Amino acid sequence: MRAGRGVGEWFRLINYERLYFTIQRISGLYMFFYLIFYRVLFDAFVSPSLVSSFDMTVPGKVLAALFLVFLAFHGLNGFRIMLIEFGIIRGWPLRNPIRNVPGLRRSRIHLIYNVLMIIIAVAALVYLPYLVTYGAVFRP
Amino acid sequence: MSEGTIRLIFLLLALYVIIMIGVVFLVLLPMYVPLSEVLASNPITVYPEGVAEVNPTLKFLEATIAAAWSTHGILGFRRFLSDLAKTERGMKYVNWLTVALVVVIVPMVIYAIMTL
């Protein structure tokens, strides 16, 4: 274990970028199967009425709420990845024998984006399941 | 096609989907229905059926979003499978599967949207 992070060393296993990566992959896989198999195959080709009635049940609403929450996080984190890959978010790493800091950890824009992303993700975690449960059926 | 090109396509498709879903929900739908009503409705019922009911012409836009989204999803699935593939031969199978999925699923998705 490297020294130099004080109490932060206790939480070395909680690397938020690795956590984001894991959630990004899990959410991507979930959305892929939910959209392609459930929404497209079943809804459009097998039985639309069955899907509509299942959507109104508790398991259907849980699946839909999970999909929307995952979608919000996947979109926000995906946008962060894009900003990094296109060079909009960048930072210089601090090379130090005791306290190495990766480039992204030193980027102020990245920090601000992270804070905003977490706030929006928490709001989505509350608002989207609420909409799925109590929101009106959209019939213009 | 190089991995860099695939990655660029993957990201551009994602950018298109993110921007266009925002445009559909916050710009196009409020032209026909009050925004408060859109934001208070179950999003699963808004997209794609609700949008198609508001204005059938929007189905074309929805189809482009769905095509981009499904291609992005298939390329993402390829990334997941490529983590599992350990050999060049395995990677070749993954690439063929990706092509097969794009050829089968994207037209299916477009058809599903256009027949709403």
Side-chain angles (χ1 to χ4, degrees), chain A residues 9-68:
Chain A
E9 287 291 345
W10 301 354
F11 303 102
R12 264 180 67 85
L13 283 177
I14 305 172
N15 177 338
Y16 69 86
E17 270 137 23
R18 196 175 299 159
L19 189 68
Y20 287 168
F21 174 83
T22 309
I23 301 175
Q24 186 81 358
R25 278 291 161 91
I26 293 170
S27 59
L29 279 174
Y30 177 80
M31 289 195 298
F32 179 75
F33 287 109
Y34 181 85
L35 279 179
I36 301 295
F37 289 98
Y38 181 62
R39 283 278 146 212
V40 177
L41 275 181
F42 273 90
D43 199 2
F45 293 97
V46 180
S47 172
S49 57
L50 186 69
V51 170
S52 302
S53 56
F54 182 72
D55 277 344
M56 292 299 123
T57 62
V58 174
K61 286 187 174 182
V62 170
L63 289 181
L66 198 58
F67 167 73
L68 291 171

Side-chain angles (χ1 to χ4, degrees), chain A residues 25 29 32-33 35-36 39 41 43-45 64 68 71 75 79 81-82 85 127 131-132 135-136 138-140, chain B residues 7 11 14-15 18 39-46 49-50 53-54 69 73-74 77 79-80 83 105 108 111-112:
Chain A
R25 278 291 161 91
L29 279 174
F32 179 75
F33 287 109
L35 279 179
I36 301 295
R39 283 278 146 212
L41 275 181
D43 199 2
F45 293 97
L68 291 171
L71 176 65
F79 196 64
I81 293 169
M82 262 181 260
E85 292 214 8
Y127 183 58
L131 273 188
V132 170
F138 186 74
R139 285 288 169 264
Chain B
R7 179 79 181 154
L11 292 179
L15 195 61
I18 291 176
L39 295 180
S41 301
N42 183 347
I44 295 287
T45 61
V46 178
E49 287 94 346
E53 278 179 32
V54 163
W69 201 347
I74 293 164
F77 192 56
R79 267 173 72 80
F80 169 71
D83 285 348
I105 289 177
M108 239 166 67
Y111 174 80

Side-chain angles (χ1 to χ4, degrees), chain B residues 40-101:
Chain B
S41 301
N42 183 347
I44 295 287
T45 61
V46 178
Y47 186 92
E49 287 94 346
V51 178
E53 278 179 32
V54 163
N55 184 350
T57 317
L58 288 177
K59 276 199 271 191
F60 291 100
L61 185 63
E62 280 190 310
T64 64
I65 296 172
W69 201 347
S70 51
T71 313
H72 172 82
I74 293 164
L75 291 179
F77 192 56
R78 175 186 178 273
R79 267 173 72 80
F80 169 71
L81 291 180
S82 64
D83 285 348
L84 304 177
K86 291 187 170 60
T87 57
E88 284 287 320
R89 193 186 166 91
M91 205 49 225
K92 198 180 269 183
Y93 288 133
V94 169
N95 283 333
W96 276 111
L97 178 69
T98 307
V99 172
L101 284 174

